[in-house]
Amino acid sequence: MNNLTASFKGLFSKTTGIASDPLSILINKEVGAHIRSWRFIVLILLVVLTFLASTYVSSTNLRSAINNAQDPDQAFLYLKLLTNTDNSVPAFHVFLNFLAPLLGIALGFDAINSERNGGTLTRLMAQPIYRDNLLIAKFLGPLIIVGTLLSALILFLIGGGLIATGVRMEPQELLRIVGFVILSVIYIGFWLSLSILLSIRFKQAATSALTAIGIWLFFTVFFPIVINLLVHALLPNPNYLSEAQLIKYNELILNLLRLSPGQLYTDATTTLLIPSVRSLGPVSMEQMIGAIPSPLGVKDSLLIVWPQLSGLIAATVVCFALSYYIFMRKEIRS
C-alpha cells in the first residue's frame, strides 16, 4: 500500500494544482509490479533460453543454408537466423507460438481478481481516476513489457549477426522482422485480453488461470483433432474427389483450423519470415505452371497475411471489449 499511495501522490502538482495523467501512473505501477515479480522473471528466463537455443542452432547451420542454391531465400541472412533449424530444436517463431499464450495468461490471469481479493481494488477506485483507466493499464502495462523484451532480443540477434558476419541488413529484412515483433505482441495481447476477461469473470485467480490454460490446450491439442474427426465423418472420402473438389476440400479444412489463434499466428509468421511463401492454401497445377521460385516483396507478403492479422486483432478487440463491458458494470465497492 505504501507504493500505491506514493504513486498517487503525483496526481496533483503542488505548484500548479494541475492533475497529472492517471493512466500513465497506473501503467508505471503495473510495469513495476510485473518486473519485480518472480513470475515474470521465470517467464523471461524461459523466453530468453529458447531464443538462445534456437539462435545457436540456426547460426551453426547458417553457412549451409546461405550456400544452398536451391533455396530462394538464401540471401536473407537475418531471416535465416530466425527460421533456420536442423530439426533438433524448433525455430524461434515456433517456440514463441507455444510460449506466447503462457506469457499472456501469466501476466493477466489475476489482473483484477487479485486486486479485489487483496482489498486494493476499492482503494484504487477511491483515487481520482476513471475506472476504465485501471483496465487499460492492466492491458497496456504487460504489452509494453512484452514489446520491450521481444525488441531487445531482436536487437541482440541483429547485433550478433552483424558482428559475426559483417553483412548489413537489407531494408526488407528489417521490415519483416519488425512485422514479426508487432504480430507477436498482438498474439500475446489476445491471450492477455482473454485472461483479463477471465480474471474479471471469476473471483478466484486459480479458477481464471485454469480456465485460460484449458482454452489454450483446447486450441493447441484438441481443436485439430476435433476438426479432423468432423471432416472425416461429414465430408466425402478425398480419394474419390476431383482436383477442383480436392482443393475446396483442403481449403475448408484450413479455414476451419484458422478458427484457432495459434494457426493464424503460424500462418502469418511463416509468410513474414520466409519470403518465398507465396500461398497459404492448396495450389492447383495450372497455378504452378510458369511460377518463378523467387521471394515476394514485403507488400505482397503483408497482403497474404492480412486476413490472419485482422483475425487476431479482431479477437483481441472482442475480448477486451467484453472485459470493458463487464468491468464497467460490475459493483466493486461492496
Side-chain angles (χ1 to χ4, degrees), residues 265-281:
Y265 178 75
T266 300
D267 291 346
T269 52
T270 301
T271 306
L272 283 177
L273 297 178
I274 306 178
S276 59
V277 174
R278 309 179 71 89
S279 175
L280 293 174

mmCIF file of all heavy atoms in Angstrom, residues 265-281:
data_model
loop_
_atom_site.group_PDB
_atom_site.id
_atom_site.type_symbol
_atom_site.label_atom_id
_atom_site.label_comp_id
_atom_site.label_asym_id
_atom_site.label_seq_id
_atom_site.Cartn_x
_atom_site.Cartn_y
_atom_site.Cartn_z
ATOM 1 N N TYR A 265 -1.503 -17.296 -36.143
ATOM 2 C CA TYR A 265 -0.156 -16.801 -35.860
ATOM 3 C C TYR A 265 0.891 -17.579 -36.658
ATOM 4 O O TYR A 265 1.839 -16.980 -37.192
ATOM 5 C CB TYR A 265 0.122 -16.904 -34.360
ATOM 6 C CG TYR A 265 1.501 -16.456 -33.962
ATOM 7 C CD1 TYR A 265 1.828 -15.110 -33.919
ATOM 8 C CD2 TYR A 265 2.481 -17.391 -33.625
ATOM 9 C CE1 TYR A 265 3.099 -14.693 -33.550
ATOM 10 C CE2 TYR A 265 3.748 -16.984 -33.253
ATOM 11 C CZ TYR A 265 4.057 -15.636 -33.218
ATOM 12 O OH TYR A 265 5.312 -15.230 -32.857
ATOM 13 N N THR A 266 0.731 -18.890 -36.754
ATOM 14 C CA THR A 266 1.681 -19.700 -37.512
ATOM 15 C C THR A 266 1.687 -19.311 -38.982
ATOM 16 O O THR A 266 2.761 -19.158 -39.591
ATOM 17 C CB THR A 266 1.332 -21.189 -37.363
ATOM 18 O OG1 THR A 266 1.405 -21.556 -35.979
ATOM 19 C CG2 THR A 266 2.288 -22.057 -38.159
ATOM 20 N N ASP A 267 0.510 -19.151 -39.573
ATOM 21 C CA ASP A 267 0.437 -18.761 -40.983
ATOM 22 C C ASP A 267 1.093 -17.405 -41.218
ATOM 23 O O ASP A 267 1.847 -17.226 -42.190
ATOM 24 C CB ASP A 267 -1.023 -18.718 -41.441
ATOM 25 C CG ASP A 267 -1.657 -20.095 -41.508
ATOM 26 O OD1 ASP A 267 -0.912 -21.088 -41.458
ATOM 27 O OD2 ASP A 267 -2.896 -20.183 -41.592
ATOM 28 N N ALA A 268 0.798 -16.448 -40.338
ATOM 29 C CA ALA A 268 1.304 -15.093 -40.540
ATOM 30 C C ALA A 268 2.819 -15.026 -40.358
ATOM 31 O O ALA A 268 3.524 -14.404 -41.175
ATOM 32 C CB ALA A 268 0.609 -14.135 -39.572
ATOM 33 N N THR A 269 3.351 -15.654 -39.312
ATOM 34 C CA THR A 269 4.793 -15.592 -39.083
ATOM 35 C C THR A 269 5.566 -16.353 -40.155
ATOM 36 O O THR A 269 6.649 -15.929 -40.558
ATOM 37 C CB THR A 269 5.138 -16.167 -37.701
ATOM 38 O OG1 THR A 269 4.553 -17.473 -37.560
ATOM 39 C CG2 THR A 269 4.630 -15.267 -36.602
ATOM 40 N N THR A 270 5.027 -17.467 -40.617
ATOM 41 C CA THR A 270 5.696 -18.218 -41.676
ATOM 42 C C THR A 270 5.807 -17.391 -42.943
ATOM 43 O O THR A 270 6.855 -17.372 -43.612
ATOM 44 C CB THR A 270 4.937 -19.526 -41.967
ATOM 45 O OG1 THR A 270 4.880 -20.312 -40.766
ATOM 46 C CG2 THR A 270 5.623 -20.333 -43.053
ATOM 47 N N THR A 271 4.756 -16.682 -43.292
ATOM 48 C CA THR A 271 4.779 -15.864 -44.507
ATOM 49 C C THR A 271 5.710 -14.668 -44.361
ATOM 50 O O THR A 271 6.410 -14.301 -45.312
ATOM 51 C CB THR A 271 3.358 -15.380 -44.836
ATOM 52 O OG1 THR A 271 2.480 -16.508 -44.903
ATOM 53 C CG2 THR A 271 3.325 -14.639 -46.157
ATOM 54 N N LEU A 272 5.740 -14.050 -43.174
ATOM 55 C CA LEU A 272 6.594 -12.881 -42.975
ATOM 56 C C LEU A 272 8.068 -13.242 -42.942
ATOM 57 O O LEU A 272 8.908 -12.522 -43.504
ATOM 58 C CB LEU A 272 6.201 -12.162 -41.679
ATOM 59 C CG LEU A 272 4.944 -11.291 -41.712
ATOM 60 C CD1 LEU A 272 4.670 -10.716 -40.333
ATOM 61 C CD2 LEU A 272 5.082 -10.172 -42.731
ATOM 62 N N LEU A 273 8.405 -14.345 -42.297
ATOM 63 C CA LEU A 273 9.813 -14.696 -42.106
ATOM 64 C C LEU A 273 10.384 -15.543 -43.235
ATOM 65 O O LEU A 273 11.604 -15.699 -43.318
ATOM 66 C CB LEU A 273 9.991 -15.432 -40.771
ATOM 67 C CG LEU A 273 9.653 -14.620 -39.517
ATOM 68 C CD1 LEU A 273 9.817 -15.473 -38.280
ATOM 69 C CD2 LEU A 273 10.500 -13.363 -39.423
ATOM 70 N N ILE A 274 9.542 -16.106 -44.086
ATOM 71 C CA ILE A 274 10.007 -16.890 -45.236
ATOM 72 C C ILE A 274 9.447 -16.234 -46.494
ATOM 73 O O ILE A 274 8.308 -16.496 -46.902
ATOM 74 C CB ILE A 274 9.562 -18.363 -45.133
ATOM 75 C CG1 ILE A 274 10.014 -18.957 -43.803
ATOM 76 C CG2 ILE A 274 10.116 -19.181 -46.288
ATOM 77 C CD1 ILE A 274 9.580 -20.387 -43.582
ATOM 78 N N PRO A 275 10.190 -15.342 -47.132
ATOM 79 C CA PRO A 275 9.647 -14.562 -48.262
ATOM 80 C C PRO A 275 9.218 -15.400 -49.453
ATOM 81 O O PRO A 275 8.412 -14.934 -50.267
ATOM 82 C CB PRO A 275 10.819 -13.631 -48.634
ATOM 83 C CG PRO A 275 11.674 -13.571 -47.416
ATOM 84 C CD PRO A 275 11.549 -14.914 -46.767
ATOM 85 N N SER A 276 9.724 -16.621 -49.597
ATOM 86 C CA SER A 276 9.364 -17.427 -50.759
ATOM 87 C C SER A 276 7.982 -18.052 -50.643
ATOM 88 O O SER A 276 7.494 -18.631 -51.614
ATOM 89 C CB SER A 276 10.395 -18.534 -50.971
ATOM 90 O OG SER A 276 10.470 -19.373 -49.829
ATOM 91 N N VAL A 277 7.342 -17.957 -49.471
ATOM 92 C CA VAL A 277 5.986 -18.485 -49.317
ATOM 93 C C VAL A 277 5.027 -17.599 -50.104
ATOM 94 O O VAL A 277 4.875 -16.420 -49.813
ATOM 95 C CB VAL A 277 5.588 -18.535 -47.824
ATOM 96 C CG1 VAL A 277 4.129 -18.941 -47.679
ATOM 97 C CG2 VAL A 277 6.483 -19.509 -47.075
ATOM 98 N N ARG A 278 4.372 -18.183 -51.083
ATOM 99 C CA ARG A 278 3.514 -17.417 -51.982
ATOM 100 C C ARG A 278 2.034 -17.679 -51.756
ATOM 101 O O ARG A 278 1.188 -16.947 -52.277
ATOM 102 C CB ARG A 278 3.860 -17.759 -53.432
ATOM 103 C CG ARG A 278 5.337 -17.664 -53.757
ATOM 104 C CD ARG A 278 5.620 -18.038 -55.191
ATOM 105 N NE ARG A 278 5.143 -17.030 -56.111
ATOM 106 C CZ ARG A 278 5.861 -15.991 -56.516
ATOM 107 N NH1 ARG A 278 7.097 -15.813 -56.053
ATOM 108 N NH2 ARG A 278 5.363 -15.113 -57.358
ATOM 109 N N SER A 279 1.704 -18.723 -51.005
ATOM 110 C CA SER A 279 0.304 -19.049 -50.760
ATOM 111 C C SER A 279 0.200 -19.829 -49.466
ATOM 112 O O SER A 279 1.100 -20.602 -49.113
ATOM 113 C CB SER A 279 -0.280 -19.858 -51.920
ATOM 114 O OG SER A 279 -1.611 -20.269 -51.637
ATOM 115 N N LEU A 280 -0.910 -19.640 -48.745
ATOM 116 C CA LEU A 280 -1.166 -20.365 -47.510
ATOM 117 C C LEU A 280 -2.195 -21.460 -47.673
ATOM 118 O O LEU A 280 -2.609 -22.086 -46.702
ATOM 119 C CB LEU A 280 -1.635 -19.393 -46.420
ATOM 120 C CG LEU A 280 -0.591 -18.386 -45.949
ATOM 121 C CD1 LEU A 280 -1.203 -17.396 -44.978
ATOM 122 C CD2 LEU A 280 0.591 -19.101 -45.304
ATOM 123 N N GLY A 281 -2.609 -21.693 -48.915
ATOM 124 C CA GLY A 281 -3.596 -22.724 -49.193
ATOM 125 C C GLY A 281 -3.131 -23.621 -50.315
ATOM 126 O O GLY A 281 -2.033 -23.467 -50.860
#
